[in-house]
């Protein structure tokens, strides 16, 4: 069996009668053969393909090897040379002459852009430092003392030719060789990694030229010397006195909801219309009509999307909301293979900030927030989420813009919306504001509440509804959902999201049984009466609403003022109901086929709940009444089947549209 370089040197030291003391697996100290050494001053270290020797009395390595009757190439397990296999198929070959000078060439896939040992990064825990060194020998040296290291092929100066994306989100220490090419290489790698890594510092060996020399001298990775090279923005601590802090007031892009220069999240369950809400906010910002700091000053917005079609869904939705489309910006990533790649963060954070600064963007929408997150990061891991969100929060602060991310809630119930967001709790912790949206199943309307507002002086809720809106496209007219704010409300989205403490399956089953019996006995009943009697029976409003959902209760809006009536499905005769719905279904976006219905003739929508206008009645002289509110159809309503307001409300309730992907 061939000897390793470490074993070869130990054997020669023993033959020379030198004292050798083991310091653990692959480490030893010995008397140096190159000088009269009474106290062992030679350190010996084994790596995966070589050995390193260092005389602490000052003898050159070549003198030590010569005294042992060995060549410099004998420092390597294969004294003829080594082959280093890269993940993508590149093979780097190294040979040495008697003096240890390297000669190298490459075979295999010479277009391989992978880093040496980059395939091992997948198993590296978040927060573990990764050392960037200049050669494969240095990688093995770092690994020999338990570290994680990678390098690019072809030596210094070629960093731009390789794929550094596996370092996304990692803490990186660049170990620069102590020579001019090494320092230039370190600067080049620093510039590449700064936008994508969690943190980057540059260091040098405390002893010797490179990482291998440092480790051969018995030094640990924690003894590498951090250097502040020009152009690296070296890390240092700067002290600021409180008296020097310029205090500022909070500026609100939307009062109590969206602070300027912040990361804000809009969270809710799928299908409720989060994208439609985002489109409405974008539209108001482009028009300068949103109440807040930007009112009266139309501003640009940047909409980053990856789930919905830009042509069929996103742009029509923004136009339906009334946006000034000249102020709406979209962004794609150009590569060697495509001109429509998707944004990957934090890889593209620096480029994104350049666009925001150049185009004076005030509002950035990430729809959805997780879609732009690098696949190397897990949305369930606190550290990974922070590595994604914190650079965005810092970007927003620097540029004074808002980064507005759309997030999904899971299926469970609860009032703690931070815990409802799918993934890590860090999503809500990093954001300065979290807006939660929930649907009132009874009315079909949306309730939006600032469920986290570190900077807000109060909890603020708004009520909204989504109505079908005609949008003129390049190939015809399409019906698209648009948001209409209905004003502030005392309702809180958390009321609709939470299950009361102590409510278990048995209580829910009890509520279902109670409600079924109640409606069977009483028939169609006003919702307020149902809830009042439920409270008397010890059932809370959220619980009785869940029971109604389970039973498929039919909701009817009737009378004047409009009143919500509940009934069981079998009790409902929809032929004589003016505004009758089952539990409101989730709004959906128009399909591509729908968007192309531009020239097809359509039939007039009939009101099946009442007789046609020209149908004779029993008494031609009798004044017609609106079947929805009961008031006479005279004056402006004459000749109609119902009052215009009632007709509009019925049409909107029948044609609710919204986004089902956000």
């Amino acid at each position: 069996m061939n000897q390793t370089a470490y074993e070869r040197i130990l054997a020669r030291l023993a033959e020379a009668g030198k004292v050798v003391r083991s310091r653990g697996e692959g480490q030893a100290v010995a008397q140096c053969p190159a000088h009269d050494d009474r106290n062992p001053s030679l350190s010996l270290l084994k790596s995966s393909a070589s050995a390193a020797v260092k005389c602490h009395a000052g003898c050159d390595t070549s003198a030590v090897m010569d005294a042992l009757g060995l060549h410099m190439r004998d420092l390597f397990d294969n004294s003829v040379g080594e082959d280093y296999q890269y993940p993508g198929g590149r093979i780097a070959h190294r040979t040495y002459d008697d003096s240890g000078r390297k000669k190298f060439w490459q075979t295999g896939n010479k277009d391989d852009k992978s880093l040496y040992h980059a395939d091992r990064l997948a198993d590296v825990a978040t927060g573990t430092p990764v050392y960037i060194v200049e050669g494969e020998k240095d990688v093995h040296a770092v690994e020999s003392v338990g570290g994680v290291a990678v390098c690019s092929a072809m030596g210094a100066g070629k960093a731009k030719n390789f794929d550094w994306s596996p370092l996304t989100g990692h803490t990186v220490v660049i170990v620069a060789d102590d020579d001019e090419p090494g320092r230039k290489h370190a600067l080049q790698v620093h510039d590449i990694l700064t936008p994508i890594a969690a943190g980057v510092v540059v260091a040098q060996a405390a002893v010797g030229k490179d990482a291998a020399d440092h480790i051969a001298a018995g030094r640990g990775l924690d003894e590498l010397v951090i250097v502040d090279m020009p152009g690296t923005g070296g890390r240092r601590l700067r002290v600021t006195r409180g008296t020097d802090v310029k205090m500022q007031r909070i500026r609100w892009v939307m009062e109590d909801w969206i602070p300027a220069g912040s990361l804000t999240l809009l969270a809710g369950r799928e299908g409720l219309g989060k994208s439609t809400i985002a489109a409405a906010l974008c539209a108001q910002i482009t028009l300068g009509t949103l109440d807040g700091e930007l009112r009266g000053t139309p501003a640009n917005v940047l909409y980053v999307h990856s789930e919905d079609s830009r042509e069929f869904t996103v742009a029509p939705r923004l136009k339906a909301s009334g946006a000034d489309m000249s102020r709406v910006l979209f962004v794609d990533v150009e590569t060697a293979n495509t001109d429509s790649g998707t944004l990957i963060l934090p890889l593209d954070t620096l480029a994104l900030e350049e666009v925001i600064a150049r185009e004076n963007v005030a509002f950035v929408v990430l729809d959805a927030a997780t879609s732009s997150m690098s696949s190397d990061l897990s949305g369930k891991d606190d550290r990974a989420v922070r590595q994604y969100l914190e650079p965005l929060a810092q970007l927003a602060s620097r540029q004074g813009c808002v980064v507005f991310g759309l997030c999904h809630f899971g299926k469970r119930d609860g009032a703690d919306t931070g815990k409802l967001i799918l993934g890590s709790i860090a999503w809500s912790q990093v954001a300065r504001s979290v807006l939660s949206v929930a649907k009132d199943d009874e009315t079909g309307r949306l309730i939006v509440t600032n469920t986290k507002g570190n900077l807000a002086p109060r909890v603020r809720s708004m009520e909204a509804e989504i109505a079908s809106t005609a949008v003129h496209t390049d190939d015809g007219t399409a019906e698209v959902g648009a948001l209409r704010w209905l004003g502030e409300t005392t309702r809180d989205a958390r009321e609709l999201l939470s299950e009361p403490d102590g409510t278990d399956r048995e209580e829910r089953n009890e509520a279902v049984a109670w409600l079924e019996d109640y409606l069977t006995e009483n028939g169609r009943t006003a919702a307020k009466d149902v809830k009042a009697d439920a409270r008397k029976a010890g059932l809370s409003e959220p619980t009785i609403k869940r029971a109604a959902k389970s039973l498929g209760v039919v909701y009817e809006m009737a009378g004047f003022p409009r009143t919500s009536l509940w009934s069981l499905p079998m009790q409902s005769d929809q032929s004589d109901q003016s505004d009758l719905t089952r539990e409101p279904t989730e709004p959906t976006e128009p399909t591509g086929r729908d968007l192309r219905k531009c020239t097809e003739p359509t039939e007039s929508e009939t009101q099946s709940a009442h007789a046609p206008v020209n149908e004779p009645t029993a008494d031609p002289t009798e004044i017609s009444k609106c079947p929805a509110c009961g008031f006479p159809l005279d004056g402006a309503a004459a000749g109609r089947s119902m009052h215009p307001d009632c007709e509009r409300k019925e049409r909107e309730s029948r044609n609710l549209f919204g986004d089902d992907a956000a």
Side-chain angles (χ1 to χ4, degrees), residues 347-431:
L347 176 64
D348 296 320
T349 299
L350 183 60
L352 176 63
E353 185 166 6
E354 290 174 352
V355 170
I356 291 170
R358 183 175 68 248
E359 302 292 342
N360 295 316
V361 172
F363 198 75
V364 181
V365 175
L366 300 179
D367 184 4
T370 54
S371 298
S372 299
M373 187 176 185
S374 169
S375 60
D376 294 327
L377 301 177
S378 169
K380 299 179 180 179
D381 181 84
D382 283 4
R383 284 181 176 271
V385 170
R386 288 182 178 277
Q387 288 167 6
Y388 169 55
L389 292 182
E390 287 176 353
L392 288 173
Q394 293 162 6
L395 179 158
S397 178
R398 286 192 299 270
Q399 296 299 326
C401 67
V402 172
V403 176
F404 194 74
L406 277 53
C407 296
H408 294 322
F409 282 153
K411 293 183 178 180
R412 68 175 181 171
D413 298 323
D416 188 342
T417 55
K419 294 180 179 178
L420 291 182
I421 295 176
L422 287 175
S424 163
I425 190 68
W427 286 99
S428 64
Q429 290 175 336
V430 176

Side-chain angles (χ1 to χ4, degrees), residues 112-368:
D112 177 15
K113 297 183 182 299
S114 64
L115 303 175
Y116 187 60
H117 283 190
D119 50 328
R120 303 185 181 186
L121 294 178
D123 298 325
V124 176
T126 303
T128 300
V130 178
Y131 295 86
I132 312 298
V133 292
E134 194 171 306
E136 299 90 353
K137 171 186 167 186
D138 297 303
V139 170
H140 288 289
V142 172
E143 291 177 341
S144 71
V145 292
V148 179
V150 296
C151 72
S152 54
M154 305 171 66
K158 308 292 193 305
K160 292 184 178 179
N161 297 332
F162 295 89
D163 176 17
W164 296 89
S165 63
L167 277 301
T168 299
H170 285 286
T171 300
V172 174
V173 179
I174 302 170
V175 185
D177 278 14
D178 190 15
D179 55 24
E180 191 58 29
R183 284 185 281 274
K184 288 183 178 179
H185 179 72
L187 285 173
Q188 191 178 63
V189 174
H190 180 276
D191 290 343
I192 294 171
L193 293 180
T194 296
I196 66 172
V200 183
V201 296
V202 179
Q204 285 185 335
V207 178
K209 174 187 175 184
D210 53 25
D213 288 345
H214 176 89
I215 292 168
R219 298 298 186 94
L221 296 174
D222 59 338
E223 295 180 88
L224 289 166
V225 179
I226 304 298
V227 294
D228 184 7
M229 296 196 316
T232 64
R235 295 168 64 88
R236 63 183 69 84
L237 299 183
R238 181 170 60 87
V239 175
T240 301
R241 294 189 181 278
T243 52
D244 297 329
V245 175
K246 183 179 179 181
M247 293 179 283
Q248 300 178 347
R249 66 178 177 85
I250 303 298
R251 296 180 299 114
W252 294 99
V253 171
M254 189 174 187
E255 185 182 355
D256 299 327
W257 271 16
I258 307 175
S262 75
L263 170 67
T264 295
L265 300 180
L266 174 66
R269 297 199 169 99
E270 287 194 58
L272 291 189
K274 295 187 294 296
S275 295
T276 305
I277 294 173
L281 295 173
C282 286
Q284 290 179 276
I285 290 170
T286 64
L287 299 173
T289 59
L290 186 64
D291 285 337
E293 291 287 332
L294 298 178
R295 186 170 183 83
T297 308
N300 292 343
V301 300
L302 177 63
Y303 205 105
V304 180
H305 63 94
S306 58
E307 296 179 351
D308 290 326
S309 164
R310 181 176 302 170
E311 294 79 8
F312 290 109
T313 303
V314 181
R317 184 188 291 146
L318 287 160
K319 189 173 181 180
S321 297
D324 177 351
M325 298 302 288
S326 68
R327 290 191 172 277
V328 176
L329 309 177
F330 299 103
V331 65
D332 297 302
V333 175
E334 293 183 346
T335 68
N337 301 317
T338 181
D339 59 359
S340 58
T342 57
L343 201 69
I344 299 175
L345 301 174
L347 176 64
D348 296 320
T349 299
L350 183 60
L352 176 63
E353 185 166 6
E354 290 174 352
V355 170
I356 291 170
R358 183 175 68 248
E359 302 292 342
N360 295 316
V361 172
F363 198 75
V364 181
V365 175
L366 300 179
D367 184 4

Side-chain angles (χ1 to χ4, degrees), residues 426-448:
W427 286 99
S428 64
Q429 290 175 336
V430 176
R432 293 301 86 196
S433 179
V434 177
L435 308 180
S436 297
V437 57
K439 184 175 69 173
D440 185 334
D441 290 336
E442 183 179 332
T443 64
R445 291 175 174 175
L446 303 178
I447 305 296
V448 185

